[in-house]
Amino acid sequence: MKLYFDKLKKLKNEEITYFFWGIYVLISFLNLVGIFYASNECQLVFKLIRYVCYVVFLTKIFIDWKNGAKITFSMIVIFLLSLAIAIFAKNRSILFIAIILFALRKMKFDKLIEIALKIYMIGFLIVVCLALLNIIPNWEFSRGNMPRYALGFIYATDAIGIYLAIILMFLYIKKDKATYIELLILELINVFMYSYTNGRLSFILVSTMLILQFVSKFQIVKNIFYSSFIQKCLKTVCYTLPIVLFLGLHILVIMYANNNFLANKVNKIISDRIKLTYQAYRNNNVNLFGTNIKWQGWGAYGYKELEEGEEFVYNYVDSSYARLILDYGIIFSCIVIYAYRETLMKSYEEKNYWLIFAILFILVWSFIEQYLININKNLFILSFIPLLEMGKIEQLNYSNISKMIKK
């Protein structure tokens, strides 16, 4: 009977955690919708709801600890580092991400992604339809003479970026079970999204993923993929890509500073992103724990009122690899790149190929977009959770701490 009630209690705790995870994901999604983003009242309500979720997650952390979960060296390092970033850079986002990851240690990764996928799919469909029907604002921006529509979201890039995030989660959950009809419909939606948003990289990445999903169904492709040569290539990519992209971005910035032809060409192709990154490094200090920078981009520009006395000067840096250093500092940047590399290596050893592909696309995507450590759009940050088990500290068990306090 006691065993039964223990199982019931565990189930209840898990269901509560899944429920509040869903609430947190929903609020994160709604925060990307233009009409809510532009409303100070909505922002305040969303903030209050998020803090309720954080309290629930902190309670979950304590209950897990009390029930025998170990405090680890990696958890302490991340907590102290996120605290330092909050103090020195006035940026608490990493502290909140750490709380979420700590709380979800015992939860099922696939179920967490599945919950997020359902919320994003339903929310995305509703928002886009409402925007097309002019029930909610469909903000218009431009790239040269070409109009770009946000389809109800903050910015055009956000709209197709959210669709890319949905595709990543969908293909991870479905794996090789997606039907040809589903893939065709998803590609047609992709073409539709591109026609409105002109989001080039996201369009290319979505098309590439759908094509890979399509060809993966053929036995000849499977045979090629599992060949020793392709497996060695994939292993090399897993071991090196996070570092290559991180260093590659900064090498291009240095080359651009020296008026290099190749860097100028790349800068033109990716819409002045190298130039803006160079200017950000020139105008801001690089610190161990990040810098408090007021980023101003085109998202909601012209539709959301500026704060009193605030002037708009575009300085937004899209590349996640530069924003890591600028926002969170050198130490945290190294840890994030290490975490992605370790997750890829672990996934390769476990033959978790669909997670590998999801992360590889995120890494490439993050070269020119702000997604690498953005849990609102990149739910695969949850794949870092196993790394929190590194270096268990027995002395910090709940029972040991309780004995010390009683003494």
Side-chain angles (χ1 to χ4, degrees):
M1 184 63 72
K2 183 179 183 299
L3 182 61
Y4 170 79
F5 281 111
D6 287 343
K7 287 183 177 180
L8 189 63
K9 185 178 179 181
K10 180 181 179 183
L11 178 64
K12 186 178 178 181
N13 288 334
E14 286 184 352
E15 292 306 317
I16 290 172
T17 306
Y18 284 128
F19 174 79
F20 277 95
W21 165 245
I23 295 295
Y24 178 84
V25 170
L26 176 61
I27 295 303
S28 298
F29 175 84
L30 292 177
N31 202 45
L32 300 171
V33 178
I35 192 171
F36 298 132
Y37 180 79
S39 168
N40 291 330
E41 292 78 11
C42 286
Q43 289 297 304
L44 178 60
V45 172
F46 290 170
K47 185 175 183 179
L48 290 173
I49 295 173
R50 282 198 302 270
Y51 273 87
V52 170
C53 293
Y54 296 142
V55 170
V56 173
F57 292 148
L58 284 169
T59 304
K60 175 67 164 56
I61 293 169
F62 177 78
I63 291 172
D64 285 347
W65 179 52
K66 187 176 180 181
N67 290 336
K70 311 293 184 184
I71 293 177
T72 66
F73 176 76
S74 56
M75 289 175 66
I76 292 174
V77 169
I78 294 300
F79 174 73
L80 292 176
L81 187 55
S82 62
L83 204 58
I85 293 169
I87 294 170
F88 291 100
K90 306 294 188 292
N91 189 332
R92 292 173 292 178
S93 62
I94 302 304
L95 184 60
F96 294 142
I97 291 175
I99 290 171
I100 293 169
L101 296 185
F102 293 172
L104 300 180
R105 281 171 70 193
K106 303 297 181 181
M107 313 307 288
K108 296 177 181 177
F109 175 76
D110 284 17
K111 186 169 182 178
L112 293 169
I113 295 296
E114 193 171 351
I115 290 170
L117 173 61
K118 290 177 181 177
I119 292 170
Y120 268 60
M121 285 181 69
I122 295 170
F124 180 80
L125 180 63
I126 292 173
V127 170
V128 171
C129 288
L130 291 178
L132 292 173
L133 294 171
N134 292 319
I135 296 174
I136 64 173
N138 185 9
W139 294 343
E140 181 180 345
F141 303 89
S142 64
R143 178 183 283 156
N145 296 323
M146 181 176 292
R148 306 181 69 192
Y149 298 93
L151 295 173
F153 294 97
I154 299 171
Y155 190 54
T157 304
D158 289 298
I160 196 166
I162 292 166
Y163 183 63
L164 194 157
I166 290 171
I167 295 298
L168 280 171
M169 291 187 286
F170 177 82
L171 294 184
Y172 173 76
I173 293 298
K174 279 279 188 174
K175 297 183 171 52
D176 58 352
K177 299 297 189 297
T179 65
Y180 295 129
I181 296 297
E182 287 175 330
L183 296 177
L184 177 60
I185 291 172
L186 291 174
E187 180 57 20
L188 290 175
I189 295 173
N190 188 37
V191 173
F192 166 81
M193 292 297 298
Y194 177 73
S195 69
Y196 272 87
T197 65
N198 194 31
R200 294 172 295 191
L201 179 62
S202 297
F203 171 76
I204 292 170
L205 289 177
V206 169
S207 295
T208 303
M209 284 188 288
L210 294 174
I211 291 170
L212 287 175
Q213 172 70 284
F214 174 78
V215 300
S216 70
K217 294 179 176 296
F218 298 103
Q219 189 59 46
I220 186 172
V221 174
K222 291 180 180 179
N223 293 338
I224 293 172
F225 177 77
Y226 287 109
S227 66
S228 59
F229 174 74
I230 296 298
Q231 287 292 305
K232 286 179 181 178
C233 290
L234 180 61
K235 185 177 182 179
T236 301
V237 169
C238 291
Y239 275 49
T240 61
L241 189 63
I243 300 171
V244 168
L245 290 174
F246 182 80
L247 294 178
L249 182 278
H250 290 95
I251 289 171
L252 281 171
V253 171
I254 294 170
M255 291 168 64
Y256 179 84
N258 290 281
N259 200 28
N260 178 271
F261 171 79
L262 176 61
N264 286 327
K265 192 72 175 176
V266 172
N267 177 64
K268 186 176 181 180
I269 292 172
I270 60 176
S271 306
D272 277 345
R273 281 175 168 86
I274 304 298
K275 174 185 175 182
L276 290 165
T277 303
Y278 164 68
Q279 290 176 345
Y281 275 123
R282 188 182 62 185
N283 297 332
N284 299 284
N285 295 324
V286 173
N287 299 313
L288 288 177
F289 304 114
T291 305
N292 185 19
I293 302 172
K294 177 71 173 179
W295 297 110
Q296 293 183 312
W298 297 128
Y301 177 69
Y303 299 98
K304 182 178 181 180
E305 293 184 7
L306 296 175
E307 296 177 8
E308 188 175 346
E310 182 184 14
E311 294 183 7
F312 181 84
V313 179
Y314 188 91
N315 68 340
Y316 201 80
V317 171
D318 291 283
S319 176
S320 297
Y321 298 102
R323 286 288 292 273
L324 270 179
I325 291 182
L326 291 165
D327 288 339
Y328 310 120
I330 296 171
I331 298 175
F332 186 74
S333 299
C334 293
I335 288 177
V336 170
I337 298 304
Y338 169 80
Y340 270 106
R341 183 175 177 271
E342 284 294 309
T343 301
L344 283 171
M345 290 165 56
K346 184 175 183 295
S347 299
Y348 179 81
E349 291 168 0
E350 296 175 352
K351 302 188 185 304
N352 191 350
Y353 296 120
W354 290 106
L355 180 57
I356 289 174
F357 291 142
I359 292 175
L360 291 181
F361 276 101
I362 288 167
L363 289 171
V364 173
W365 187 20
S366 297
F367 194 82
I368 67 170
E369 296 294 347
Q370 181 49 244
Y371 292 106
L372 199 65
I373 201 69
N374 187 338
I375 197 169
N376 295 343
K377 300 175 184 177
N378 174 14
L379 282 301
F380 287 93
I381 291 175
L382 299 178
S383 63
F384 291 172
I385 289 176
L387 301 179
L388 298 175
E389 302 301 325
M390 296 170 58
K392 294 179 180 179
I393 305 174
E394 297 292 338
Q395 293 87 338
L396 296 180
N397 287 354
Y398 177 82
S399 56
N400 292 335
I401 298 298
S402 297
K403 290 176 183 177
M404 289 176 60
I405 293 174
K406 288 177 181 179
K407 287 181 180 180

